[in-house]
Amino acid sequence: MKNYYLLGEQLGHSFSAIIHNRLFQEQGLNARYSLCELPPNMLESKLMQLKTESGANVTIPYKHIAALHMDELLGDARATGAINTIIPQGNRLVGENTDGEGFMRAISGWAENIRGEKALVIGAGGAAHVIAYKLAQAGAKVHISARRNASDLAQKINLLVPGAAQASSPEGEWYLIVNATPVGMGTLKGQSPLPAQADFKCFYAFDCIYNPKKTPFLAQAEEKGAQCLNGLTMLWHQAIKSQELWGNHFDSQVLNKVWKEVSQL
C-alpha cells in the first residue's frame, strides 16, 4: 500500500484526508492518506521518514521550514521558499507548492480582469507568499497586510516581479481581498483578520479557509457587497495537482463524482 500524509500542527479542521482517500477508493488504488499532527521538534525526523513513503502535503505552520529540508525545490516552491507538496525520489525529497495554482484556478473567473487592479493579501506566511506571487505574475498591484513581515514579503515579491508589491493597511477600495491567515478557523474560529469596523470595500473576497464555510471575514465582505468564495475549490485543485506530482491520475468520472461529494462538505 502507498502511504501519503498531511503534515501540520493542528489538523482537526482538515478535509484533505477525505478528498484523497475518496479519490483512491473510486479509482481503485491501493493507497491511504493520513493526517499527521506534529510538534515542531518532530518535523525533521518525520520528513526523513518520508524518503521511504509515497508522498506528503505540508500545511500551517511548516511550509517554509519544511522547504529547508528538501533536496530540490520546483517551480513556485523555488520562487517562494514555501512548499505544500513533497515528492520522494529515491533517497531524495523534492518540494513543490501547488497552493498558487489551486488558488488561481479557484478564482479563474475573477482573475480574467485582474491585471492592473489592486489586490490585498492578508498574511505573510506560506500561503500568502505564493498567492501574492501568483497575483503579481498575473499583473495585479499587490498590497500585503500582516501583523508582522508584510514589508519583508513585499520585498521578496518585488525581487520576482519588480514593482508589483507593497506593504499596506487593509483600509480602502480593492478589486480582491484574500485572507491567507488561519484567523477564522480552529482555535481562531469566530475571529476575523480585519477589525469589525474596518473601512474597506472590494468587488471580490476570497478566504483560504474552507471549514467553516463562511468565516467572519467573508461575512464582513459580503455585507459590503462583495462576491465571496471560501477555500474549498482551492483545496480541491491543489490536491489534484499534488496527486499528479505523485504520479497518480484519475478518470474524469472519478473526479466529477468525488468533487460533487466534496462540494457538499
Side-chain angles (χ1 to χ4, degrees):
M1 174 180 284
K2 292 183 176 181
N3 286 297
Y4 301 87
Y5 302 90
L6 174 62
L7 310 183
E9 195 167 34
Q10 297 178 4
L11 302 176
H13 68 281
S14 179
F15 291 170
S16 291
I18 298 171
I19 291 174
H20 290 281
N21 285 323
R22 285 296 295 125
L23 288 168
F24 292 146
Q25 291 165 7
E26 286 298 320
Q27 192 67 33
L29 299 179
N30 186 24
R32 177 177 57 196
Y33 188 102
S34 304
L35 303 182
C36 185
E37 291 188 339
L38 294 167
N41 65 342
M42 294 294 293
L43 178 64
E44 185 175 359
S45 62
K46 182 61 180 180
L47 290 171
M48 294 305 101
Q49 292 173 20
L50 290 178
K51 293 182 178 182
T52 59
E53 301 288 3
S54 298
N57 289 126
V58 182
T59 191
I60 298 171
Y62 299 135
K63 293 181 179 182
H64 279 111
I65 191 168
L68 300 176
H69 296 281
M70 297 297 103
D71 298 291
E72 181 182 358
L73 297 177
L74 306 176
D76 288 347
R78 186 187 309 116
T80 64
I83 67 170
N84 80 326
T85 304
I86 298 173
I87 310 107
Q89 292 184 351
N91 199 39
R92 301 171 69 250
L93 294 177
V94 177
E96 175 59 293
N97 195 318
T98 67
D99 281 336
E101 182 171 333
F103 168 74
M104 293 305 292
R105 288 188 182 184
I107 68 158
S108 58
W110 303 349
E112 291 176 358
N113 300 310
I114 205 166
R115 181 169 295 278
E117 298 286 357
K118 290 172 60 182
L120 176 70
V121 177
I122 305 171
H129 198 154
V130 73
I131 286 170
Y133 171 54
K134 300 304 277 190
L135 288 170
Q137 280 189 317
K141 298 174 182 177
V142 178
H143 294 243
I144 297 164
S145 176
R147 290 181 299 172
R148 56 184 182 273
N149 300 326
S151 295
D152 290 344
L153 178 53
Q155 290 176 8
K156 291 175 181 177
I157 299 302
N158 287 332
L159 290 174
L160 300 166
V161 186
Q166 65 184 74
S168 180
S169 79
E171 310 286 330
E173 296 187 7
W174 309 95
Y175 180 80
L176 168 68
I177 301 180
V178 180
N179 176 30
T181 78
V183 179
M185 72 176 189
T187 59
L188 301 174
K189 187 176 181 179
Q191 301 181 39
S192 171
L194 297 180
Q197 303 304 317
D199 184 15
F200 74 93
K201 292 183 180 179
C202 59
F203 289 104
Y204 303 105
F206 183 93
D207 201 323
C208 293
I209 295 169
Y210 53 85
N211 182 14
K213 287 184 177 181
K214 182 184 285 189
T215 59
F217 162 67
L218 289 183
Q220 283 175 283
E222 190 174 66
E223 287 178 2
K224 295 175 180 290
Q227 291 187 40
C228 298
L229 186 65
N230 69 26
L232 188 60
T233 309
M234 173 182 168
L235 177 71
W236 171 258
H237 286 302
Q238 66 87 359
I240 300 305
K241 183 61 179 178
S242 292
Q243 287 284 357
E244 292 172 357
L245 290 168
W246 297 326
N248 299 323
H249 301 277
F250 301 91
D251 299 336
S252 59
Q253 61 265 34
V254 168
L255 294 172
N256 292 336
K257 180 177 181 180
V258 176
W259 168 245
K260 188 174 182 179
E261 295 174 7
V262 170
S263 64
Q264 301 303 312
L265 291 174

